[in-house]
């Protein structure tokens, strides 16, 4: 479904779509936020530079750092949607998140050093937030950063770091004041990923692929001028940078709509006795239920986008979109496997696998969406407390 | 077009909300077995004649405001929230929209001004005892007698059918499905109020025995009735959103104040997660209903898809909210005096009116397949 937009945005969409068709390197074959093959990374760096040069990424940035100072979120939604629809790569790693932090809290020197390198694809960033003991409870992170003259010395372990193996800079949260209340003793840093003491180990997930990493930090020295924002003020920095991730609201529903087309094709594909699953009323009902949810997810995302554009959005809007999207996605890809009948037994390594094993991989990957970026249970608690004003639970 | 309300729509919403808050908050469920809730004629005249709500989606040349389904949706969301007993849905939506889209100028001139002023209440009678809403072709037959058309047959589940001044009835004609206007006082017409699951939305069975009727339009009315059905479904979806939102508000209000084990029950995660899930569903339902309200009435499959999506989703969201509301209220929610059961009754009944979620999903599967791919 689409809403009427301005002629200008329609023209922009057409331009972006054609740009992606002409220039985008490769097409993603797996669902979700995945690590590119090593050989593709140099090409992706050039592609990221190209997207910035065209004004498609970093469009809202001030002009002195290469942006267009465009305050509207709509163009960013269009870009995110078109990239997702084409299953094309966009910014990889934590570039948008880091840019948000630097623009809101960075020093002039940091902005001049990091932002041009980020735009040109010279620096890929990764996000060093989650830890083995700090998942949903991010404020419980234990990685320590101790002041040592004009440096900080960092010890600890990070996990679920996408693209750490390719990243040049890490956007790190570490505890600088263990005595302070949880959220008050955390500091944000820009960490040189090639510094001595940084060790990256790939983490193999249930999909069989290694899209995430563990990052071990052992006596890593960071110059004090790489602190982003105030010392002990990192929690606020992290909060501000999340505003840069709003495009994901648009991207997710574009993926779902694409999956719905795929499901309709699967349902029309002749099964064992030459009959397509669609001939079965129960299948039609399930497909109708799923189509309902996919369209509703898209409309909900559009409603939130229009609230963001009007400045009337609520802090919990992205959480609501994410909860609904991730549950719907799980239903969608489960149905994708189910519609294959016995062929659902095969995975991508078998050349007879339906759609190259896309659905089997997506089914396994679907759990990343219900867990990452705030497990749905944690988000429901947040929604209940912030949007509905229900009393907080006693917390340690 | 936007999924957020425009300034004037927001004003309309506030107007209706204030009116209903002032006038209609205190109605209690009628005692069990005493039939459907009666509406207040004074309030009806105020909301039609004074506030102009019955004429919102009626063309200006008949005294209406010339607005459309989006504005009807705004009003119905508020009425659904308050479970406001009135013939508004039957008169302004079912009958008003049927006449507005019937293409028969004489019929419009005859009835629309009185619908706008509130002088006339009306409804649409399509369902028959065989259990299908569309009843296509209807078993009710229309014969041309010496003095004009006469209808014979039975219509049922007619919303406000026992009180409406005018009944719009579908019947089988030699040239297809015909639409007819029958005054409630016509000879040979008997109506029986049904013991409905939802006492706040009265239903009646109408028997027609060679009852004289005036034909609306010429030729087969199936197509214009199908377009009206999309409008009705979008309006009903908006009403369901209001009902679901009311259930959520009641549940949250209770969860904040009711204490057990020394703390408000709303501080327990089990209750919080139920409420958060309901909020997600209410927001989703509202997006779907508003989109349907913004496209129904325009040609093409998009309107039909949007109506099917909205009805399929909003139906289940409302029922879920109504069930969870009773659960969160605990024992008090199980009493007749508490309004929680009225919302469950309304939710379950609204699911069944004008197409069940399962039928909507089947429609959607058909429509999406015929579109070839997702739009």
């Amino acid at each position: 479904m689409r809403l009427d937009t301005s002629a200008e945005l329609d023209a922009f969409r057409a331009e972006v779509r054609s740009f992606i068709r002409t220039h985008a390197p490769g097409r993603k074959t797996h669902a979700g936020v995945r690590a590119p093959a090593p050989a593709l990374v140099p090409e992706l760096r050039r592609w990221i530079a190209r997207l910035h040069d065209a004004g498609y990424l970093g469009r809202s940035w001030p002009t002195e750092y290469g942006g267009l100072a465009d305050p509207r979120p709509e163009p960013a939604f269009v870009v995110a949607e078109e990239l997702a629809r084409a299953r094309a790569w966009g910014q990889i790693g934590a570039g948008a998140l880091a840019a948000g932090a630097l623009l809101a809290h960075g020093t002039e020197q940091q902005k001049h050093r990091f932002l041009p390198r980020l735009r040109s694809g010279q620096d890929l960033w990764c996000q060093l937030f989650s830890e083995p003991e700090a998942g949903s409870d991010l404020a419980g992170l234990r990685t320590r950063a101790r002041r040592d003259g004009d440096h900080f010395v960092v010890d600890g372990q990070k996990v679920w770091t996408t693209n750490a193996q390719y990243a040049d800079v890490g956007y790190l949260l570490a505890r600088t004041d263990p005595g302070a209340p949880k959220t008050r003793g955390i500091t944000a840093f820009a960490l040189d990923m090639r510094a001595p003491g940084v060790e990256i180990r790939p983490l193999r997930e249930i999909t069989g692929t290694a899209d995430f990493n563990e990052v071990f930090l052992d006596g890593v020295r960071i110059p004090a001028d790489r602190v982003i924002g105030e010392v002990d003020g990192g929690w606020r920095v992290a909060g501000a940078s999340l505003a840069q991730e709003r495009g994901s609201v648009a991207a997710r529903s574009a993926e779902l709509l694409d999956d719905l087309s795929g499901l309709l094709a699967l349902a029309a594909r002749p099964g064992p006795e030459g009959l397509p699953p669609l001939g079965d009323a129960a299948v039609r009902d399930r497909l109708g239920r799923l189509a309902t949810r996919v369209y509703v997810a898209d409309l909900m995302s559009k409603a939130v986008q229009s609230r963001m554009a009007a400045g009337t959005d609520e802090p919990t809007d992205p959480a609501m979109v994410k909860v609904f999207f991730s549950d719907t996605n799980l239903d969608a890809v489960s149905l994708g496997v189910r519609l294959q009948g016995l062929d659902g037994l095969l995975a991508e390594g078998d050349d007879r696998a339906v759609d190259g094993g896309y659905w089997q991989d997506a089914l396994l990957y679907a759990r990343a969406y219900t867990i990452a970026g705030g497990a749905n249970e944690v988000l429901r608690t947040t929604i209940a407390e912030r949007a509905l004003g229900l009393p907080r639970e006693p917390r340690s | 077009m936007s999924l957020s309300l425009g300034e004037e729509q927001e004003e309309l919403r506030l107007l209706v909300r204030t009116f209903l808050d002032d006038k209609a908050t205190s109605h209690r469920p009628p005692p069990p077995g005493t039939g459907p809730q009666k509406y207040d004629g004074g309030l009806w005249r105020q909301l039609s004649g004074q506030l102009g709500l019955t004429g919102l989606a009626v063309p200006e040349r008949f005294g209406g405001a010339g607005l459309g389904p989006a504005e009807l949706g705004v009003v119905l969301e508020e009425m659904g929230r308050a479970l406001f007993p009135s013939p508004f849905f039957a008169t302004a939506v079912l009958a008003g929209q049927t006449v507005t889209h019937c293409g028969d100028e004489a019929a419009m001139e005859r009835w629309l001004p009185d619908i706008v002023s509130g002088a006339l209440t009306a409804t649409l009678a399509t369902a028959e005892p065989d259990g299908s809403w569309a009843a296509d072709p209807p078993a009710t037959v229309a014969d041309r007698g010496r003095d004009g058309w006469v209808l014979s047959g039975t219509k049922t589940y007619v919303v406000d059918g026992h009180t409406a001044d005018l009944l719009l009835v579908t019947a089988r004609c030699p040239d297809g499905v015909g639409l007819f206007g029958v005054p409630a006082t016509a000879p040979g017409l008997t109506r029986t109020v049904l013991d409905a699951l939802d006492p706040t939305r009265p239903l009646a069975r109408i028997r027609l025995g060679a009852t004289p009727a005036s034909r609306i339009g010429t030729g087969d009315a199936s197509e214009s009735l199908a377009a009206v059905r999309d409008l009705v479904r979008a309006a009903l979806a908006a009403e369901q959103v209001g009902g679901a939102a009311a259930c959520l508000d009641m549940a949250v209000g209770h969860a904040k104040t009711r204490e057990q084990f020394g703390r408000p029950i709303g501080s327990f995660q089990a209750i919080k997660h139920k409420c958060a899930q309901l909020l997600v569903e209410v927001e989703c339902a509202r997006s779907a209903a508003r989109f349907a309200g913004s496209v129904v009435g325009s040609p093409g499959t998009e309107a039909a898809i949007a109506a099917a999506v909205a009805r399929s989703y909003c139906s289940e969201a409302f029922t879920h909210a109504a069930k969870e509301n009773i659960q969160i209220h605990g024992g008090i929610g199980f009493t007749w005096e508490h309004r929680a059961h009225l919302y469950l009754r309304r939710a379950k009944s609204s699911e069944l009116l004008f197409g069940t979620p399962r039928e909507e999903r089947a429609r959607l599967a058909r429509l999406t397949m015929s579109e070839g791919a997702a739009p």
Side-chain angles (χ1 to χ4, degrees):
Chain A
M1 311 231 167
R2 35 171 283 129
L3 298 178
D4 293 342
T5 58
S6 67
E8 184 215 343
L9 270 184
D10 284 345
F12 181 71
R13 184 183 294 278
E15 178 197 309
V16 172
R17 191 173 291 186
S18 130
F19 185 89
I20 292 171
R21 201 183 307 123
T22 317
H23 300 296
R27 186 183 147 88
K28 291 191 205 172
T29 49
H30 289 141
V33 181
R34 310 295 281 268
L40 189 62
V41 173
E43 214 179 327
L44 286 180
R45 288 180 189 266
R46 289 193 290 277
W47 171 233
I48 288 165
R50 205 159 196 167
L51 287 168
H52 280 99
D53 286 346
Y56 297 162
L57 290 181
R59 190 182 177 88
S60 62
W61 298 13
T63 47
E64 62 171 314
Y65 305 114
L68 296 173
D70 184 349
R72 299 170 305 162
E74 292 96 326
F77 293 145
V78 167
V79 172
E81 248 175 43
E82 290 302 322
L83 285 168
R85 187 196 309 271
R87 304 265 170 177
W89 295 91
Q91 175 69 274
I92 64 168
L97 203 67
L102 290 167
L103 285 166
H105 295 281
T107 62
E108 277 312 301
Q109 192 213 355
Q110 287 171 343
K111 291 183 204 172
H112 281 110
R113 174 182 171 80
F114 289 116
L115 292 175
R117 297 167 63 92
L118 194 156
R119 291 186 74 85
S120 66
Q122 199 175 351
D123 279 354
L124 296 177
W125 285 68
C126 63
Q127 178 189 330
L128 299 167
F129 285 15
S130 296
E131 297 182 4
E133 299 299 325
S136 292
D137 183 13
L138 179 60
L141 59 88
R142 296 174 182 181
T143 292
R144 283 277 281 126
R146 289 183 189 78
R147 185 91 196 207
D148 179 20
D150 56 359
H151 278 74
F152 283 83
V153 180
V154 183
D155 289 283
Q157 184 190 345
K158 295 290 175 177
V159 72
W160 305 119
T161 311
T162 322
N163 295 310
Q165 71 274 41
Y166 306 129
D168 307 283
V169 194
Y171 174 17
L172 167 73
L173 293 182
R175 187 163 302 284
T176 35
D177 183 357
K182 268 162 78 176
T183 55
R184 299 224 189 110
I186 295 170
T187 301
F189 298 90
L191 164 70
D192 177 357
M193 291 298 285
R194 308 230 159 61
V198 178
E199 192 201 337
I200 298 154
R201 291 185 206 157
L203 189 59
R204 200 159 291 280
E205 300 92 31
I206 61 175
T207 47
T209 53
D211 295 291
F212 298 91
N213 299 274
E214 294 177 291
V215 177
F216 295 86
L217 304 165
D218 182 12
V220 180
R221 294 181 68 79
I222 309 181
D225 64 4
R226 298 293 160 84
V227 169
I228 306 173
E230 307 276 318
V231 171
D232 296 337
W235 193 249
R236 232 161 56 88
V237 177
S241 55
L242 291 172
Q244 289 293 319
E245 280 211 312
R246 300 195 299 188
S248 66
V249 166
R252 298 289 95 89
S253 67
E255 279 174 18
L256 269 183
L257 286 168
D258 191 45
D259 278 346
L260 178 60
S261 307
L263 290 174
L264 294 172
L266 279 180
R269 170 183 165 269
E273 276 133 45
L275 302 171
L278 249 197
D280 179 347
V283 169
R284 281 198 303 278
D285 186 53
R286 198 157 160 201
L287 203 56
R289 182 182 289 277
L290 189 85
T292 298
R293 287 178 63 87
V294 169
Y295 288 134
V296 168
D298 184 41
L299 289 168
M300 172 69 179
S301 145
K302 297 264 188 327
V304 167
Q305 288 173 47
S306 76
R307 294 210 282 265
M308 285 174 170
T312 57
D313 53 312
E314 300 289 334
T316 45
D317 279 347
M320 289 204 278
V321 171
K322 191 256 183 184
V323 165
F324 193 75
F325 156 77
S326 56
D327 285 346
T328 304
N329 178 61
L330 190 55
D331 287 354
V333 295
S334 305
L335 184 56
V337 174
R338 160 112 181 240
L339 287 173
Q340 297 172 22
L342 275 181
D343 290 346
L345 290 167
L346 301 176
E348 65 186 279
D350 192 292
D351 50 8
R352 287 181 52 87
V354 176
D355 291 341
Y358 170 83
W359 301 100
Q360 284 73 5
D361 174 78
L363 172 64
L364 293 160
Y365 187 84
R367 276 300 173 202
Y369 282 128
T370 58
I371 297 170
N376 284 3
E377 289 71 21
V378 176
L379 294 182
R380 285 196 176 94
T381 298
T382 307
I383 291 166
E385 291 176 0
R386 300 229 189 118
L388 295 173
L390 288 170
R392 292 172 76 90
E393 239 178 319
R395 277 171 208 211
S396 56
Chain B
M1 177 202 312
S2 159
L3 293 172
S4 311
L5 294 185
E7 215 168 292
E8 285 172 11
Q9 293 172 332
E10 182 57 31
E11 275 171 30
L12 174 65
R13 192 187 68 74
L14 270 177
L15 174 85
V16 179
R17 169 77 63 97
T18 313
F19 178 78
L20 296 180
D21 277 354
D22 286 354
K23 316 276 184 186
T25 47
S26 58
H27 48 264
R28 293 257 150 247
T34 58
Q37 196 155 27
K38 291 181 177 53
Y39 71 92
D40 179 329
L43 288 184
W44 171 248
R45 280 187 293 279
Q46 280 180 45
L47 75 85
S48 50
Q50 283 175 26
L51 300 184
L53 300 185
T54 46
L56 275 179
V58 169
E60 285 166 290
R61 64 182 191 280
F62 304 112
L67 299 168
E71 286 75 19
L72 277 181
V74 170
V75 175
L76 280 159
E77 183 176 334
E78 291 304 320
M79 289 188 172
R81 175 188 282 273
L83 277 194
F84 179 58
S86 94
F88 183 85
F89 176 71
T91 303
V93 180
L94 293 178
Q97 291 304 295
T98 301
V99 176
T100 296
H101 293 90
C102 70
D104 180 335
E105 202 68 19
M108 292 190 237
E109 261 165 47
R110 184 170 169 195
W111 290 311
L112 287 180
D114 285 344
I115 285 179
V116 172
S117 73
L120 183 78
T121 62
T123 190
L124 176 66
T126 57
E128 299 195 343
D130 78 345
S132 103
W133 280 105
D136 189 8
T140 301
V141 290
D143 291 307
R144 221 188 227 305
R146 232 171 314 147
D147 303 317
W149 292 95
V150 290
L151 308 185
S152 297
T154 302
K155 293 289 177 179
T156 190
Y157 311 125
V158 182
V159 178
D160 290 326
H162 68 310
T163 54
D165 304 317
L166 169 71
L167 300 147
L168 304 179
V169 179
T170 53
R172 185 153 40 93
C173 295
D175 52 350
V177 178
L179 179 65
F180 295 86
V182 185
T185 52
L189 182 148
T190 54
R191 39 192 192 173
T192 317
V193 66
L194 305 176
D195 183 18
L197 171 64
D198 173 10
T200 68
R201 176 137 53 209
L203 298 174
R205 183 168 46 242
I206 311 287
R207 287 210 174 81
L208 302 148
T211 301
S214 48
R215 180 115 190 227
I216 302 171
T218 52
D220 187 70
S222 301
E223 212 162 291
S224 71
L225 283 169
V228 168
R229 252 194 301 276
D230 284 345
L231 289 162
V232 167
R233 287 150 72 220
L236 206 48
E239 191 196 82
Q240 290 171 313
V241 172
C247 291
L248 172 61
D249 285 353
M250 287 163 77
V252 168
H254 184 73
K256 282 179 183 171
T257 50
R258 167 76 173 171
E259 292 197 6
Q260 289 287 272
F261 307 101
R263 45 197 263 224
I265 61 167
S267 68
F268 293 103
Q269 224 170 45
I271 302 292
K272 265 185 198 166
H273 286 192
K274 277 186 194 293
C275 292
Q277 183 59 30
L278 293 184
L279 178 62
V280 170
E281 291 174 16
V282 166
E283 289 289 334
C284 282
R286 186 173 283 130
S287 306
R290 288 214 177 133
F291 184 69
S294 69
V295 295
V296 291
S298 45
T301 52
E302 190 173 49
I305 290 179
V309 167
R311 278 285 288 158
S312 149
Y313 192 79
C314 297
S315 290
E316 297 196 341
F318 185 14
T319 300
H320 185 218
K323 286 178 177 169
E324 293 289 51
N325 183 38
I326 292 178
Q327 179 68 18
I328 291 169
H329 274 82
I332 188 76
F334 193 66
T335 63
W336 181 269
E337 281 72 24
H338 199 284
R339 286 164 56 77
H341 70 102
L342 293 179
Y343 285 89
L344 179 59
R345 288 163 179 271
R346 170 62 68 88
K348 210 60 209 169
S349 306
S350 303
E351 268 190 23
L352 302 176
L353 289 174
F354 303 100
T356 63
R358 196 181 168 86
E359 287 162 350
E360 297 290 2
R361 290 195 290 269
R363 278 168 62 94
L364 186 60
R366 266 199 318 276
L367 287 162
T368 348
M369 291 311 287
S370 67
E371 284 240 309

